[in-house]
Amino acid sequence: MERKITRRAVTKSLLLGAVAAALPTPMVAAKARHIQIGHTAITWSNDQVEQAIADISSLGFYGFETFGQVLEKWETQGGLGRVLDEHQLPLVSAYCTLNLTDAAKRQDSIDTAVKWGKLIKKYGGRVSVIGPNPVQRDAYDFSDHKADIVTTLNEASKAISDLGLTAALHQHTGTCVESRDETYAVLDAVDTRYVKFGPDIGQLTKGGSDALQVVKDFLPLVQHMHLKDYNGKDPHLIGYCPLGQGKVNIPAILDLMEGKKISGMINGELDNDPKNPSPTPPLELVRQSKTYLQTIGVKFRA
């Protein structure tokens, strides 16, 4: 049947088009993303972990990450499980800094990885995020330490895997694995049966890498992620910023992760200098990230 096109219909169509053109693109064309986003506790200080759990849960994020040493400290107070259960927020992962460069400390690093791994597992977590140890970058020669980094990563990750967890390397600025070349060199050399990748896309950007390309290149290894943005402006936030306010191509990275089954979770993250914290409350900072994610189609718990 031929459709009759009236002047009124044409006018209505033109008006709707004009309104749509005036709206921000995400509001017009945001596609629904079938992806669950958690959040780390680093925006709060470590002694505010209860508040972090309450806030992250209240915003509807799907999971939680803290530090291995925080889990250990809370064991002396009966464990963190009570707080997680109270707010119905599952622990997904813990960030565990290990010494990767000093061969004399290798066994200590493995023992620490196992100790924290057992706590992650006790509270239902699935991923040990391995953070490389800090180094003096201006005097650091990666080539002198690569073999030790790879060996310790392999052995610690095997021990973590034996617990039924996933070990995910997290490259980090100011550590022994920072730059693009260092990240690629390590991931190309490790035993990927045990060592997976948990990229921090904000840290990659701050370190001068193309975060999107790094994620593309190692997508099969990505089993966890810190979803972070960077604009280099706010000293309180160490140059990071709420999602959508910086240089990182968040939508493209989420497109890569859409439909990918991973051991851990994509965790939003926003660093906050504990010695000079932002005057904006952590809850509000993270709310800004949530609002942005909603504009690009991410759904949250009710």
Side-chain angles (χ1 to χ4, degrees), residues 33-39 56-57 59-65 88-92 126 265-268 298-302:
R33 295 179 184 273
H34 304 289
I35 198 162
Q36 294 185 346
I37 306 291
H39 209 281
I56 290 168
S57 177
L59 291 171
F61 286 91
Y62 282 90
F64 175 71
E65 178 179 312
Q88 298 183 323
L89 185 68
L91 178 75
V92 175
R126 307 185 296 271
M265 187 172 281
I266 298 173
N267 279 342
V298 175
K299 305 297 182 183
F300 289 81
R301 299 186 303 165

Side-chain angles (χ1 to χ4, degrees), residues 155-195:
E155 294 185 13
S157 298
K158 173 63 165 58
I160 291 166
S161 179
D162 287 345
L163 295 173
L165 302 174
T166 296
L169 172 66
H170 173 293
Q171 89 312 313
H172 199 292
T173 55
T175 73
C176 62
V177 184
E178 173 185 290
S179 70
R180 177 197 179 280
D181 289 348
E182 291 165 1
T183 301
Y184 278 64
V186 169
L187 290 175
D188 285 340
V190 292
D191 187 340
T192 55
R193 292 176 299 171
Y194 307 116
V195 184

Side-chain angles (χ1 to χ4, degrees), residues 235-255:
H236 300 287
L237 304 177
I238 322 176
Y240 299 108
C241 56
L243 297 175
Q245 298 179 20
K247 305 174 182 179
V248 180
N249 191 341
I250 305 291
I253 287 172
L254 291 183
D255 285 344

Side-chain angles (χ1 to χ4, degrees), residues 36-44 56 61-65 93 200-201 224-229 241 243 250 254 265-271 286 289-290 293 300:
Q36 294 185 346
I37 306 291
H39 209 281
T40 77
I42 200 172
T43 318
W44 297 257
I56 290 168
F61 286 91
Y62 282 90
F64 175 71
E65 178 179 312
S93 48
D200 182 315
I201 60 175
H224 192 69
M225 179 180 287
H226 283 179
L227 192 69
K228 189 153 65 186
D229 211 344
C241 56
L243 297 175
I250 305 291
L254 291 183
M265 187 172 281
I266 298 173
N267 279 342
E269 182 169 84
L270 178 56
D271 292 24
V286 177
S289 289
K290 174 186 174 177
L293 289 170
F300 289 81

